[in-house]
Amino acid sequence: MAHEQPRLNLRDGRSIPQLGLGVWQVPQRATAEIVGEALKAGYVSIDTAEGYQNERGVGDAVKASGLDRDSLFITSKLRNSFHARDDALRAFDATMEELQLDELDLFLIHWPRPRQDKYVEAWKTLIELQQQGRIRSIGVSNFNIDHLERIIGETGVVPVVNQIELHPTFQQRGVRDFHKQHDIRIESWSPLGQGDDLKRPAIAAIAKKHGKTPAQVIIRWHLEEGLIVIPKSVTASRIRENIDVFDFRLDADDMNKIAALDDPRGRIGSDPATADFG
Ligand code: NAD
């Protein structure tokens, strides 16, 4: 299935595919096959992390695909316990060895872990690696506005992306303006609410109206909101379903109905202000 892949421009002059496959909780031994399915289905972007322990599988799939390296966009993330410069440099080397790549498209600080108070040092190290030509674009994940203000204030370098929890039942409206003002793209993690948002009757009704599935409606919503979206599935048929979203559009009524699902208490994952794991 060949798809015209929409891309969003990044503030550093590069661009990112708007839809990708997330591989959190995909076991290392299954990753190459699952990512291989996704690449065959037309995905060009894969989101992994050091903490997912499956970068090797992503790298193996990229290699086996025979696809042109520059047609693909690979993201990984720095582990929370490796924010100190020397640790971050070593961790990045290990990431590149696992992924078997010469340059990474996007590297993110996975969590700010504010109690550790080393995320500015981590950000400076990502800037250094980008200056050396080893990373094309640099960004962050789970950064609140105060964390963003601090890294921008101390380095003058603005991340191109902030990957945060965002789905219909947790829409993060309160931080969207700040990102827009600073031209930071928002990438939605757990975009399907880890599957829970698929069960909402309003989503099912919109899906029925368009002859699409609940997952396709939610992925379409992220695209129309101008967000980057990285749904995860380990099932080949769902992987294909989740990229088959370019033949319909949501109308204003659909968008209003989904807007009404927003719940400021709808967070599933950890709160970045207090998350302190390694
Ligand atoms: P998700 O919201 O993508 O939901 C995935 C789940 O939804 C699947 O396990 C499956 O149960 C269900 N699903 C997927 N497609 C379906 C379909 N077509 N029909 C029915 N059910 C379907 O959850 P996620 O994995 O938490 O998030 C996606 C990605 O976001 C991750 O894999 C990872 O790459 C990224 N992520 C990043 C962070 C971070 O801290 N930066 C945290 C969590 C996730």
Side-chain angles (χ1 to χ4, degrees), residues 1-59:
M1 221 186 306
H3 291 278
E4 191 60 35
Q5 293 283 321
R7 297 180 76 97
L8 295 179
N9 291 330
L10 299 174
R11 56 172 296 123
D12 64 3
R14 296 186 180 271
S15 68
I16 184 170
Q18 209 181 347
L19 174 62
L21 178 79
V23 295
W24 179 42
Q25 292 177 320
V26 179
Q28 175 83 280
R29 65 182 182 286
T31 301
E33 192 187 333
I34 287 161
V35 172
E37 287 290 345
L39 298 177
K40 263 190 267 162
Y43 288 75
V44 290
S45 169
I46 308 294
D47 181 80
T48 183
E50 290 168 359
Y52 302 171
Q53 297 184 324
N54 56 19
E55 292 169 308
R56 167 77 43 184
V58 173

Side-chain angles (χ1 to χ4, degrees), residues 22 24 47 141-142 163 189-190 192 194 230 232 241-242:
W24 179 42
D47 181 80
S141 178
N142 299 301
Q163 186 183 116
W189 66 250
S190 293
L192 308 174
Q194 296 181 6
I230 46 169
K232 171 229 166 191
E241 176 186 323
N242 292 350

